[in-house]
Amino acid sequence: MANYIPEDMHVVLQSEDGMLGVGPFPREWEVDPDLINAGKQTVSELPYSSYFDSATSFAMIRGGHIDLAILGAMQISEEGDIANWMVPGKMIKGMGGAMDLVAGVKRVIVLMEHNVKNEAKLVKKCTLPLTGSKVVNKIITDLGEFEFEQDGLTLKALAPGVTVDEVTQRTEARFKTALQ
């Protein structure tokens, strides 16, 4: 995300592994293997970056001090439920911080591919174990942008070259359309 923040906008990114002020991905000659995000990707630091232990990081998250979480998902239901932490039958190395994130932040945005192996990821009801119930605010996929409104899931924008019919065919969840 840090790579896409406009220069005239000030956004402070926090990585759940204890870094406040996460910078963009470093260029090859700037890589510091000790600077990683929660996804184990190398990142850069900014002049105002600070570091702390995971207890402090999760106190920020659980205490409601984080405005927005942007994460991926394996499934999102038409009610705004999210499943993103485990696939039954696969080895689990831990649940990570996703449950804390979706429960403790003010807004949840999910970035994901619209389908996987020709199966919808926007579904009527999640079949994978839930990370959070009715917590997702916005979904951005390779086909378009959706928002959860009081009356349900709404398609707000289409990706270039994508039609409403294509989105409908590739989505299991019910949604209405309000294109801008």
Side-chain angles (χ1 to χ4, degrees):
M1 299 306 333
N3 290 40
Y4 300 99
I5 298 170
E7 287 187 29
D8 61 342
M9 183 184 290
H10 182 68
V11 174
V12 179
L13 299 175
Q14 188 246 30
S15 180
E16 70 186 54
D17 60 351
M19 183 178 184
L20 191 63
V22 176
F25 284 119
R27 293 178 287 241
E28 189 175 318
W29 61 89
E30 297 173 319
V31 170
D32 180 342
D34 292 327
L35 293 177
I36 58 169
N37 63 19
K40 309 295 186 269
Q41 300 165 315
T42 56
V43 294
S44 64
E45 63 184 350
L46 300 169
Y48 57 83
S49 296
S50 62
Y51 304 91
F52 36 84
D53 60 28
S54 61
T56 302
S57 176
F58 280 92
M60 291 177 191
I61 294 166
R62 293 174 183 147
H65 305 289
I66 306 295
D67 293 324
L68 172 70
I70 301 172
L71 50 139
M74 292 180 269
Q75 291 180 330
I76 303 288
S77 80
E78 62 189 35
E79 299 289 323
D81 304 329
I82 181 172
N84 82 338
W85 73 278
M86 77 166 282
V87 175
K90 300 286 183 178
M91 183 176 171
I92 303 167
K93 295 181 181 179
M95 66 177 55
M99 290 180 186
D100 292 297
L101 283 169
V102 300
V105 301
K106 296 174 180 89
R107 278 184 58 77
V108 174
I109 297 177
V110 174
L111 304 177
M112 65 181 196
E113 290 184 29
H114 202 86
N115 301 90
V116 63
K117 297 180 183 176
N118 294 323
E119 289 188 32
K121 293 176 74 172
L122 288 172
V123 295
K124 290 184 187 298
K125 184 177 171 86
C126 292
T127 56
L128 297 172
L130 289 186
T131 306
S133 178
K134 298 179 182 171
V135 295
V136 177
N137 300 101
K138 181 181 276 201
I139 305 163
I140 301 170
T141 77
D142 50 324
L143 299 186
E145 178 183 326
F146 296 81
E147 286 189 28
F148 284 94
E149 297 178 338
Q150 285 186 321
D151 57 347
L153 183 61
T154 303
L155 176 63
K156 297 290 224 170
L158 292 169
V162 175
T163 65
V164 173
D165 285 342
E166 181 180 0
V167 174
T168 302
Q169 290 171 3
R170 294 177 56 186
T171 306
E172 178 187 308
R174 292 175 299 210
F175 65 91
K176 65 179 186 182
T177 302
L179 297 175
Q180 303 164 347

